[in-house]
Each structure stands twice: as C-alpha cells, then as structure tokens.
C-alpha cells in the first residue's frame, strides 16, 4: 500500500466529516503498516490472539465461580474502571482522556452483565470479595465445520482478588466445554504478561498477532 493511497483514503474520510478511524492490521501486512505509518497513522496496541481447541482434555483444578447478577452491574463496572491496563487501545490513544477511557471500560463491563455478553464469571464464596470478573460470549463459527466458539471478551482483576485471572480463565474453559463449544478464543495485549502467562499455562496457543492503528484529525 503506497503512502499516497493512504492519504487519498484519509481525504475521503475528511470529506465525509469523519474525525477518527481505527483499524486492526495483521503483523504480516508489512507494506500496509509502513504505508499507514508514513501517512501519520499511529500504533495503539499489539494484540495477541489465542485459541484453545482441546476442551475435551481439560484437567485443571476447579475453582468456585458463579455468574454475576444484574444487581452487580455497577460493582463489575468499577472493577473494570479501577483496574484498566494503561496500554490498552483506549488508554494508549490521545484521542481519549483517561477519564473517558475509564468510563468506557466501566460501561462496557456493566453492559456485559446486562446481557451484552452471555455470562460474566466472578469468584464465589463467603470469604471472597468481588474484585474480579471474566465476561464470556458464545457464537456459532462461520466456517464450514460449524464449530461452536466461546470467547473471553473482557476481564479485570483487582488487588483483593490477586491470582484470580487464571482461576476465572480456567473455569471459563470448563464453561465453554459445558456449553458444547469446541474452541475458546482469547485476545490480550502483548504488554499483558500475566494474561499471556496464564493463557499459555492453561493450554492456549498463539494463533495470530495484529497491530491496532489509529488516525485522527489534527488535534485529535
């Protein structure tokens, strides 16, 4: 992709009154990435896309979890707000203020509990404070094999639930299996070393890597 073709695309965006655009580009598309960078598009985050396709061989220890209730929407939202990754695409993007990025994640997490996701797993037990969650969605694969797919959509862990990301992710695998999924997907930032470690320890394998790139009008 030439720099001029990217600039023509930007002019079309501006002509339509669009002030902001974002795209996800596979790391293999070197020429596209180079053209975007030379035309002033900026890197926001590098994403690692993991897959677990051996759900029928799970052998991890089990942990007490439950589904979050509608009454816990605001609590889950605050967990997300207070434990954001500073390197996620919203916090890394100067187009948004930190307050806007925090608020978005809080509302996203609350919406997950309200039905945007199929279920939101939280720790269960009388002595466990609610300070972490993992939101999951299920959908039918579009490929010809017709595999049902589970996806870990969003997760956050506060200091009161240290170590619970692995526990929630492990239980999410069992939930995926119980819901007849054949594959579970998870995406995380390359900077989230704890999530990467947990995923690989639980049998996820790296599928693809992408860069998230943004453009905004001057001053954005």
């Amino acid at each position: 992709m030439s720099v001029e073709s990217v600039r023509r695309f930007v002019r079309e965006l501006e002509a339509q009154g669009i002030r902001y655009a974002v795209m996800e580009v596979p790391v293999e598309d070197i020429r596209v990435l180079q053209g975007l960078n030379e035309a002033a598009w900026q890197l926001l985050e590098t994403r690692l896309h993991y897959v677990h396709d051996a759900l029928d061989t799970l052998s991890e220890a089990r942990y007490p979890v439950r589904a979050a209730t509608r009454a816990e929407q605001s609590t889950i939202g605050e967990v997300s707000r207070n434990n954001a990754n500073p390197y996620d695409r919203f916090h890394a993007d100067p187009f948004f203020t930190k307050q806007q990025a925090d608020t978005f994640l809080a509302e996203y997490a609350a919406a997950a509990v309200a039905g945007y996701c199929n279920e939101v797993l939280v720790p269960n037990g009388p002595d466990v404070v609610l300070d972490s969650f993992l939101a999951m969605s299920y959908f039918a694969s579009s490929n010809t094999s017709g595999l049902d797919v589970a996806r870990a959509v969003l997760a956050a862990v506060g200091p009161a639930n240290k170590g619970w990301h692995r526990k929630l992710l492990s239980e999410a695998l069992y939930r995926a299996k119980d819901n007849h999924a054949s594959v579970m997907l998870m995406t995380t930032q390359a900077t989230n070393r704890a999530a990467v470690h947990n995923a690989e320890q639980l049998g996820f394998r790296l599928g693809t890597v992408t860069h998230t790139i943004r453009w905004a009008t001057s001053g954005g």
Side-chain angles (χ1 to χ4, degrees):
M1 176 181 287
S2 69
V3 177
E4 183 52 38
S5 64
V6 176
R7 289 174 176 161
R8 285 199 303 271
F9 175 57
V10 167
R11 288 195 291 270
E12 290 179 10
L13 293 177
E14 292 175 324
Q16 296 178 46
I18 296 173
R19 298 179 52 231
Y20 177 88
V22 63
M23 68 174 67
E24 197 167 348
V25 183
V27 293
E28 294 84 359
D29 289 341
I30 299 297
R31 296 303 182 195
V32 173
L33 290 164
Q34 290 173 341
L36 291 167
N37 289 334
E38 290 184 41
W41 288 62
Q42 298 177 322
L43 174 67
L44 295 179
E45 109 186 330
T46 298
R47 292 179 171 179
L48 307 179
H49 305 273
Y50 282 91
V51 59
H52 196 304
D53 56 3
L55 300 180
D56 56 345
T57 63
L58 296 176
S59 60
E60 288 292 319
R62 302 303 302 266
Y63 302 99
V65 302
R66 61 176 176 83
T69 67
R70 291 291 185 100
E72 294 169 324
Q73 280 182 243
S74 61
T75 301
I76 296 296
E78 288 307 301
V79 172
S80 186
R81 180 197 301 274
N82 296 331
N83 298 284
N85 184 334
Y87 300 106
D88 71 38
R89 58 156 289 200
F90 299 102
H91 288 82
D93 193 340
F95 189 79
F96 305 105
T97 65
K98 181 180 184 303
Q99 182 179 3
Q100 288 173 326
D102 288 345
T103 298
F104 170 80
L105 288 180
E107 293 183 357
Y108 191 113
V113 180
Y116 181 72
C117 295
N118 292 110
E119 61 180 340
V120 178
L121 302 182
V122 296
N124 191 24
D127 300 321
V128 181
V129 177
L130 177 51
D131 199 27
S132 62
F133 71 90
L134 187 150
M136 295 183 66
S137 289
Y138 302 97
F139 53 95
S141 172
S142 60
N143 65 33
T144 56
S145 64
L147 297 177
D148 287 329
V149 178
R151 177 182 287 278
V153 178
L154 180 68
V157 179
N161 283 173
K162 185 177 179 180
W164 266 93
H165 178 267
R166 175 173 177 145
K167 297 175 182 179
L168 289 169
L169 187 58
S170 177
E171 283 301 310
L173 289 169
Y174 282 105
R175 288 293 185 108
K177 178 182 178 181
D178 291 344
N179 282 279
H180 310 294
S182 300
V183 176
M184 182 164 169
L185 308 176
M186 186 194 86
T187 296
T188 190
Q189 295 93 1
T191 55
N192 195 337
R193 295 182 180 181
V196 168
H197 174 77
N198 290 337
E200 294 181 347
Q201 288 292 306
L202 289 170
F204 283 85
R205 59 181 174 80
L206 183 63
T208 60
V209 180
T210 59
H211 292 307
T212 304
I213 312 290
R214 61 80 100 167
W215 164 85
T217 55
S218 58

